[in-house]
Amino acid sequence: MKKFLAVAMVLVVATGLVFAGGAADTSGKAMVGLAMPETHVERWQKDGSALLEDALAKGYSAEVAFADADQGKQNQQIQDFITKGAKLLVIGSVNEGVVSVVQEAARDGVIVIAYDRLITGSKDYDYYITFDNYKVGQFQGKAIETALNLSAATKAKPKKIALFAGSPTDNNAKVFFDGAIDVLRPYVEAGSLVIVGPAPLRSGDAAFTKITTENWRADIAKTRMENLLNNDAKNVVLDAVLAPNDTLARAIIEALATDAKYPAGKLPVVTGQDGEAASIAYIRDGKQNMTVFKDTRNLAAATIELADALLKGNAPKIAGARLDTESYDTGKKKVKAYLLEPVIVTKANYKAVMIDSGYYKESEIK
Ligand code: BGC
């Protein structure tokens, strides 16, 4: 017994040390584990810190981990959270390989919230919180429709576009693409918009995997754009490139800018998403057409509200989010999805949306 107590004391001290600064401690606070997929896309660092701050402010102990787009690493981080006694996990997963640890969590009675990305292939969780990602894609498609004046384009003089999508293992990549291509498809079918390179017309088409970008990596998108410019797009002038997020948009623009057909001021219309500081500067300077702002502060706040309700056994009422109980199926069950509103950002409104809202300081937009 004495020995047990001594070991317990050591553990308590160690735990106290490891979690100094607010994580699971001996104060009896319930612990929330925050598992983010990566940091090479800027937003996740903001998601992580906003979630942490909000969880601590609500009186939980909390810890955040980033997985470097490695599901094995994330599974280890999630297992650590479970071992430390987390009562709830907020998971922005890398890919479906997360399913086994979600199952472990469920077995231990730990609540899981899928964060931003749907966890497919699992029957072991009930809640998903994200933005209206189909709308994100629609904003991208509509921006191209407007900038190219597609309704006035003809089969005799069609506009030309190349298509890029996000990670093939991220369900969001499909949703973004479907939102965008649903706007563009009628023009493709009418012949007034020609797709240069692989041409899926739905995320379910076989050619979709030819336009995806493993783990949302900028270098992969850049290389693919360079290859297009040397092959299918060699003898055509592109009017637009559908890019799924800002990280990839800037990589694509970098490749385009090395092609003599696209001197400064004559770049194709390139879309984006996330409102990254560097892309806001590109939009200001006319290099990128638009982005879509998904305010991570709002997503984090709504998620911690949801977590708090679930941990207290209350019925969640999440301000600013729309509940959709029908559309999100993991393949094993329907989950309850809370959807927040994305905002389109262009040269006309970037100051109001990105700076006046306090998301960035003017000096961060270089
Ligand atoms: C997120 C995007 C992000 C992308 C790459 C998606 O799941 O919704 O905001 O750009 O992952 O990290």
Side-chain angles (χ1 to χ4, degrees):
M1 185 63 184
K2 246 193 185 151
K3 192 167 172 205
F4 170 78
L5 272 180
V7 171
M9 280 306 289
V10 169
L11 279 176
V12 165
V13 171
T15 315
L17 284 176
V18 170
F19 295 119
D25 52 28
T26 51
S27 65
K29 290 179 180 175
M31 180 191 173
V32 172
L34 308 164
M36 299 291 105
E38 62 209 24
T39 52
H40 73 277
V41 174
E42 190 177 287
R43 63 160 288 187
W44 298 107
Q45 305 183 31
K46 289 188 180 277
D47 289 270
S49 45
L51 283 164
L52 186 63
E53 204 177 294
D54 293 346
L56 297 177
K58 272 247 189 304
Y60 294 97
S61 67
E63 199 181 328
V64 62
F66 299 92
D68 298 329
D70 175 344
Q71 192 59 60
K73 183 167 182 176
Q74 186 174 63
N75 286 3
Q76 191 55 59
Q77 293 169 334
I78 291 171
Q79 270 161 343
D80 286 350
F81 288 151
I82 297 174
T83 308
K84 287 168 184 167
K87 296 282 178 270
L88 182 143
L89 301 167
V90 173
I91 304 178
S93 57
V94 179
N95 60 47
E96 208 175 294
V98 74
V99 161
S100 57
V101 283
V102 173
Q103 190 177 13
E104 275 176 49
R107 223 183 277 141
D108 289 2
V110 180
I111 301 168
V112 168
I113 298 175
Y115 183 81
D116 194 79
R117 298 175 172 175
L118 184 70
I119 296 174
T120 52
S122 174
K123 57 171 172 33
D124 294 309
Y125 72 101
D126 297 302
Y127 291 92
Y128 173 40
I129 188 159
T130 190
F131 285 85
D132 184 336
N133 290 318
Y134 183 78
K135 198 178 259 185
V136 171
Q138 282 181 311
F139 282 153
Q140 296 170 338
K142 284 183 193 160
I144 291 171
E145 183 183 41
T146 306
L148 269 48
N149 196 12
L150 286 178
S151 53
T154 61
K155 199 170 174 173
K157 212 169 171 294
K159 301 289 184 181
K160 314 265 170 57
I161 189 170
L163 304 177
F164 283 71
S167 179
T169 60
D170 179 351
N171 186 66
N172 284 345
K174 297 180 189 149
V175 183
F176 300 142
F177 180 73
D178 284 330
I181 204 70
D182 284 354
V183 175
L184 301 174
R185 190 185 309 106
Y187 301 104
V188 177
E189 286 174 349
S192 54
L193 180 65
V194 171
I195 300 172
V196 177
L201 289 182
R202 286 168 186 79
S203 65
D205 291 356
F208 182 67
T209 56
K210 298 223 163 69
I211 67 159
T212 52
T213 313
E214 197 67 36
N215 279 334
W216 297 91
R217 273 173 48 195
D219 59 323
I220 294 180
K222 188 173 176 208
T223 304
R224 197 179 147 242
M225 188 70 241
E226 286 164 354
N227 288 339
L228 275 171
L229 291 170
N230 288 323
N231 294 284
D232 293 311
K234 195 173 172 74
N235 300 312
V236 291
V237 176
L238 290 169
D239 298 292
V241 178
L242 174 69
N245 79 352
D246 288 348
T247 304
L248 303 190
R250 293 194 307 279
I252 289 164
I253 290 167
E254 234 180 89
L256 287 164
T258 63
D259 187 313
K261 292 201 297 293
Y262 309 107
K266 292 244 186 298
L267 282 165
V269 166
V270 180
T271 55
Q273 164 179 202
D274 288 336
E276 289 187 1
S279 280
I280 298 300
Y282 271 35
I283 290 170
R284 176 198 60 203
D285 300 343
K287 289 195 208 163
Q288 187 177 319
N289 180 271
M290 55 84 76
T291 185
V292 183
F293 181 43
K294 303 189 298 184
D295 195 328
T296 48
R297 296 169 302 188
N298 296 345
L299 186 61
T303 302
I304 298 303
E305 246 184 81
L306 175 60
D308 188 47
L310 297 176
L311 284 166
K312 289 180 175 150
N314 297 336
K317 272 200 212 85
I318 311 304
R322 174 165 62 84
L323 175 62
D324 180 338
T325 54
E326 283 308 310
S327 318
Y328 291 85
D329 198 319
T330 71
K332 303 270 180 182
K333 76 187 281 191
K334 277 184 183 164
V335 289
K336 297 183 185 74
Y338 289 92
L339 306 180
L340 278 75
E341 280 297 307
V343 178
I344 184 162
V345 182
T346 62
K347 198 168 182 160
N349 72 351
Y350 81 87
K351 276 202 178 126
V353 178
M354 305 300 308
I355 297 167
D356 299 348
S357 73
Y359 201 74
Y360 292 125
K361 293 192 207 73
E362 187 117 45
S363 60
E364 288 177 274
I365 312 300
K366 303 213 175 77

